Amino acid sequence: QESPHIYSKEEVRSHSRPETGIWVTLGSEVFDVTEFVDLHPGGASKLMLAAGGPLEPFWALYAVHNQPHVRELLAQYKIGELHPEDTTPSTLETSNPYADDPVRHPALKVNSQRPFNAEPPPELLTENYITPNPLFFTRNHLPVPNLDPDTYRLHVVGAPGGQSLCLSLDDLRKFPKHEVTVTLQCAGNRRSEMSQVKEVKGLEWNTGAISTARWAGARLCDVLVQAGHQLSEAEAHVCFEGLDSDPTGTAYGASIPLARALDPAADVLLAYEMNGEPLPRDHGFPVRVVVPGVVGARHVKWLGRVSVQPEESGSHWQRRDYKGFSPSVDWDTVDFDSAPSIQELPVQSAITEPRDGETVESGEVTVKGYAWSGGGRAVIRVDVSLDGGLTWQAAELYGEEQCPRKAWAWRLWQLQAPVPAGQKELHIVCKAVDESYNVQPDTVAPIWNLRGVLSNAWHRVHVRVAP
Ligand code: HEM
Ligand code: MTE
């Protein structure tokens, strides 16, 4: 066996530009990843941050890389070893950027610890119409910033001829306080069902990347108007920047159309309260955006800056993620610029009780779940089948009545039905219909997409009936 090529740190460092090729190290190993840069699922620019040096400080932040398939992929690009004197133990190079994250509720099902991503278990999710704060699903891309409410400032860039604002929490509280019940759903909710069809890139969310809270704060439209903004700026977008950032200072960002932001009826909030309390740290303390009817990714937490621009936010999460594609598009053919960013979500429902694989009593079965649609479209009906979709019964909807076109929050639903005598198993299915008569697709395969977003097929649960 040949002895491996030995490289010095300096040699590695000199390979940090396209002209020289891109090298990185992990532990004592050296990799030439030039060919991989443009294929990186997290974007070429992110990978380039580590060019010519160790991956550890970055991978400590994006724990998505701590998976065997990522290590195997990297191994293909190995070209040699680092000189022993240049190999520093990785523990010295990585202070844990997540050390200051808050303590979380033990009931949460954790999909990723760093960054923290977790969902309430289904049986708790529909216990309450309003999700208790400690159980609200959490989707973080980065460490949770620890912000001082006294020195916190929100920067709002003014319109030409208008004035820029620098608002403290107290300033924000002086705007009329507006309260609204809003369901927030991640685009990746129910992704685990998509990855059963074919592998997708992303966290394995079950049915719990959705929760509901009463949010209170200033209306974004009131703040924008004070900064001089109006609808005359054609095709404009409101861009939000979070105060959570990676080691290079890249912050989480997203945008929504200005027309939605300025429409008082759209109820877009700069929220500082969640269920009557200050926002918990995981949910954006002290201020986050709440955009009713719109995908969770645009509800920017730890809000630091608001600006109005002719184009959408340039953020990775606006331009290179949270978009839908045909099932035939793969990572070699995907053109992110060809698809619009996800804003309003499609109609959704899921069964939270009974659980898949459970054994239910004979006689009568109780089926429970949630239903919601994006864009304020009210859920008008939830159909439940006990025989895999041959026959249907309408479930009873409960929870807050929702106004047509402003149905920002979910309905919970329940069906109590006799179990036909002699039945050994039930194939329980649910599907919701919204006020535009949008329905859910019956199967996942035709809506499969490489990122595993917008997973809203009929939800199916298979149970045995106790003899
Ligand atoms: C995602 C590989 C460097 C940031 C991924 C994924 C792979 C990968 C395979 C998809 C994982 C999955 O979803 O299962 C690599 C390799 C690298 C590298 C081989 C070095 C040669 C970096 C660096 C950064 C980074 C240096 C940050 C500065 C990300 C991000 C994602 C990602 C943000 C997307 C995570 C998400 O799903 O939201 N990378 N990566 N990567 N990577 Fe990397
Ligand atoms: N805002 C910031 N600043 N950083 C983030 O990582 N995640 C987004 C959004 N806002 C995120 C963010 C995504 S993808 C979702 S689904 C929601 O926050 C989740 O909000 P929650 O954690 O309060 O449930």
Side-chain angles (χ1 to χ4, degrees), residues 1-18:
Q1 197 183 336
E2 271 182 58
S3 57
H5 241 287
I6 303 293
Y7 299 102
S8 71
K9 235 177 167 170
E10 282 65 42
E11 268 173 288
V12 174
R13 196 174 299 141
S14 68
H15 290 84
S16 60
R17 288 172 293 120

Side-chain angles (χ1 to χ4, degrees), residues 169-460:
L169 257 185
D170 279 341
D171 295 334
L172 210 52
R173 287 202 189 92
K174 286 179 197 136
F175 287 88
K177 186 174 175 180
H178 196 71
E179 194 165 12
V180 45
T181 307
V182 176
T183 295
L184 213 140
Q185 184 183 207
C186 184
N189 192 28
R190 299 182 61 197
R191 177 178 285 135
S192 58
E193 291 162 64
M194 251 181 205
S195 41
Q196 279 164 23
V197 172
K198 200 167 94 183
E199 192 197 338
V200 300
K201 285 200 201 315
L203 298 160
E204 286 286 299
W205 295 107
N206 288 305
T207 50
I210 182 167
S211 298
T212 299
R214 260 193 100 65
W215 307 92
R219 278 175 141 139
L220 177 60
C221 60
D222 292 341
V223 173
L224 286 177
V225 164
Q226 178 135 341
H229 293 288
Q230 51 188 28
L231 209 49
S232 61
E233 296 160 84
E235 287 286 284
H237 303 266
V238 182
C239 302
F240 308 115
E241 261 175 48
L243 293 166
D244 49 340
S245 59
D246 67 18
T248 65
T250 307
Y252 184 86
S255 61
I256 60 169
L258 178 65
R260 181 181 291 277
L262 281 178
D263 179 4
D267 289 326
V268 183
L269 295 186
L270 301 176
Y272 45 75
E273 272 178 28
M274 180 177 180
N275 297 328
E277 292 170 16
L279 299 183
R281 278 184 63 206
D282 263 331
H283 302 292
F285 180 81
V287 177
R288 84 174 302 167
V289 189
V290 171
V291 196
V294 163
V295 65
R298 316 298 166 219
H299 300 228
V300 174
K301 306 192 272 192
W302 314 292
L303 185 65
R305 192 167 185 273
V306 177
S307 60
V308 180
Q309 293 171 16
E311 299 207 350
E312 284 188 84
S313 162
S315 153
H316 170 82
W317 295 280
Q318 188 78 18
R319 301 281 180 106
R320 293 286 173 272
D321 203 350
Y322 298 111
K323 294 187 172 191
F325 295 96
S326 133
S328 301
V329 170
D330 60 26
W331 287 101
D332 294 328
T333 57
V334 65
D335 172 10
F336 273 95
D337 293 325
S338 69
S341 60
I342 300 171
Q343 296 281 339
E344 293 181 0
L345 284 170
V347 61
Q348 176 70 289
S349 70
I351 300 160
T352 54
E353 248 183 82
R355 302 289 301 274
D356 194 49
E358 212 175 281
T359 300
V360 300
E361 297 298 314
S362 57
E364 195 178 59
V365 65
T366 301
V367 187
K368 286 186 183 180
Y370 63 76
W372 180 77
S373 188
R377 289 177 286 273
V379 167
I380 57 164
R381 203 180 75 226
V382 174
D383 299 327
V384 179
S385 173
L386 303 182
D387 53 15
L390 293 175
T391 61
W392 301 92
Q393 306 173 60
E396 188 189 333
L397 304 183
Y398 61 99
E400 290 175 15
E401 275 303 325
Q402 297 294 307
C403 300
R405 292 179 299 284
K406 285 189 63 157
W408 307 135
W410 63 11
R411 298 305 298 275
L412 301 182
W413 56 262
Q414 182 169 326
L415 176 81
Q416 260 168 310
V419 176
Q423 201 78 34
K424 292 199 175 65
E425 54 180 0
L426 300 175
H427 291 274
I428 309 176
V429 186
C430 79
K431 63 182 178 80
V433 184
D434 74 18
E435 64 179 292
S436 304
Y437 286 97
N438 290 309
V439 295
Q440 300 176 242
D442 54 352
T443 54
V444 189
I447 57 165
W448 183 96
N449 59 84
L450 75 178
R451 202 60 177 83
V453 291
L454 306 166
S455 182
N456 73 330
W458 296 0
H459 190 224
R460 296 161 191 268

